[in-house]
Amino acid sequence: MLLAPLVILLPWSLCFRVLRFLTRLGLAGNASDDEAWMRMQRHGFKQPRHLAVRQIRLHRLADLADFYRSWRLSPAWLQRYWRVSGDPLPDPQQHPAVLFVTFHYGAGFLALRHFRQHGLGMAALYRPPPRPPQGSRFDYHFFWWRLRSIFRLTGVRPIRVGDNQSELKMLVQRLVRDRQPVGFMPDIPTHREHAVGADFLDGKIYFATGLLRLIVKHRVPVVLYTSVLDLHDGGRNVELQVLHDYNSLEELARAFAACLERAIRRDPTAWHLWAFADEILIT
């Protein structure tokens, strides 16, 4: 509850310094922080525990801060803190159907607004979390609150996947018949028998093939993107990579893995799934 008034009331330069200080006192701490640090160490990212854990918390706070900031985002803030590099986005007149791919990395919430302003409002794919026991439901309810804000930023209703209420027909219709953008995050634990693998860090990562087969079949352009907090001044560094020419599931999987690996090597503390790395990164 402390975060929302800080983000809304303070200038971002001051808010960022306050949040960076409060991480020393445990703000945004999580029971998984030590596990995340140990797994980073195991995969070759050697940082002192106190520094790594503070940065993990700061990235977590930036992701939440963008959720609150999205309600009142000024042109001046964007001009100072929003930095986009890499490939130009596809022309929505020439390529109305696009697959946006990002990861559980950094703070990508505001990128949804950026894409919509370029005429590429995406339908985000989501899988609902399991309903928790009584008394520990904040994260569960926040998921749905955030999902409604994704709808607000994109202008497109998100599409449910991954359970017995999946809206797969709607997904296929949007991409194939209506030729409209879709977005998803593929860096999750995946059963290998329904997946395609690629080299990743010191092992392999696997991506589910269902959606990717559709993308390859219909030659849909892919936009890989990462958006991450600049630890020096609190800006958001956004990098875009557009894939027009690919010929196989394996080629797509290699591109996904390479994009995530580059991002992690730039700042390993920005990957939010280190605590689950042993289920995602197979060595």
Side-chain angles (χ1 to χ4, degrees):
M1 294 296 105
L2 171 66
L3 183 60
L6 287 176
V7 171
I8 293 169
L9 298 176
L10 295 180
W12 177 245
S13 58
L14 176 58
C15 181
F16 175 64
R17 292 196 296 271
V18 170
L19 295 180
R20 188 165 54 187
F21 171 75
L22 290 176
T23 60
R24 293 177 181 268
L25 308 181
L27 184 66
N30 189 293
S32 67
D33 288 347
D34 281 334
E35 184 68 25
W37 172 71
M38 287 189 290
R39 292 185 181 182
M40 282 174 51
Q41 297 280 108
R42 193 181 308 156
H43 292 288
F45 299 101
K46 307 295 185 183
Q47 282 185 269
R49 180 198 171 278
H50 70 280
L51 178 61
V53 167
R54 283 190 60 198
Q55 289 182 0
I56 288 169
R57 292 170 179 171
L58 192 55
H59 284 296
R60 192 177 292 140
L61 285 170
D63 192 38
L64 290 171
D66 284 357
F67 168 76
Y68 294 116
R69 179 162 298 282
S70 70
W71 292 91
R72 45 176 300 184
L73 197 60
S74 70
W77 189 94
L78 289 168
Q79 184 175 2
R80 181 172 179 183
Y81 293 112
W82 186 255
R83 303 153 190 158
V84 181
S85 62
D87 298 331
L89 286 169
D91 182 337
Q93 300 302 316
Q94 295 182 6
H95 302 287
V98 173
L99 177 68
F100 285 96
V101 178
T102 192
F103 308 96
H104 295 84
Y105 176 89
F109 199 67
L110 300 182
L112 304 176
R113 177 185 183 276
H114 177 74
F115 300 142
R116 185 183 183 184
Q117 287 182 326
H118 283 77
L120 293 168
M122 74 170 76
L125 306 187
Y126 74 96
R127 181 175 181 173
R131 194 171 184 87
Q134 191 72 30
S136 57
R137 293 188 174 176
F138 175 80
D139 287 345
Y140 176 81
H141 291 299
F142 186 78
F143 171 88
W144 293 105
W145 187 21
R146 185 179 174 108
L147 192 68
R148 287 194 292 272
S149 285
I150 290 174
F151 187 3
R152 171 175 55 85
L153 288 177
T154 62
V156 183
R157 187 172 77 82
I159 296 175
R160 183 168 179 154
V161 296
D163 64 4
N164 58 9
Q165 297 182 53
S166 290
E167 299 167 319
L168 295 179
K169 184 177 179 181
M170 184 183 298
L171 168 59
V172 174
Q173 176 179 310
R174 181 169 176 82
L175 266 177
V176 178
R177 195 191 77 180
D178 299 341
R179 305 289 293 165
Q180 293 296 309
V182 166
F184 85 131
M185 295 188 289
D187 56 327
I188 56 174
T190 302
H191 294 298
R192 277 182 271 180
E193 60 268 26
H194 304 297
V196 56
D199 292 339
F200 176 64
L201 297 176
D202 53 353
K204 280 196 173 284
I205 188 170
Y206 289 85
F207 304 109
T209 56
L211 176 59
L212 300 190
R213 289 186 189 280
L214 193 66
I215 295 302
V216 172
K217 179 179 178 181
H218 293 278
R219 309 297 297 169
V220 175
V222 175
V223 177
L224 293 163
Y225 71 96
T226 55
S227 173
V228 67
L229 176 73
D230 188 312
L231 294 171
H232 301 290
D233 69 356
R236 304 294 183 279
N237 298 324
V238 184
E239 184 171 312
L240 305 176
Q241 179 187 358
V242 179
L243 306 177
H244 288 285
D245 299 315
Y246 52 85
N247 298 302
S248 67
L249 295 174
E250 291 75 17
E251 191 173 345
L252 274 185
R254 288 194 295 270
F256 289 10
C259 180
L260 179 57
E261 180 165 336
R262 282 194 304 271
I264 288 174
R265 291 195 181 281
R266 283 195 300 269
D267 184 353
T269 62
W271 193 35
H272 299 294
L273 298 186
W274 276 116
F276 306 96
D278 288 354
E279 302 168 55
I280 297 169
L281 171 54
I282 309 301
T283 56

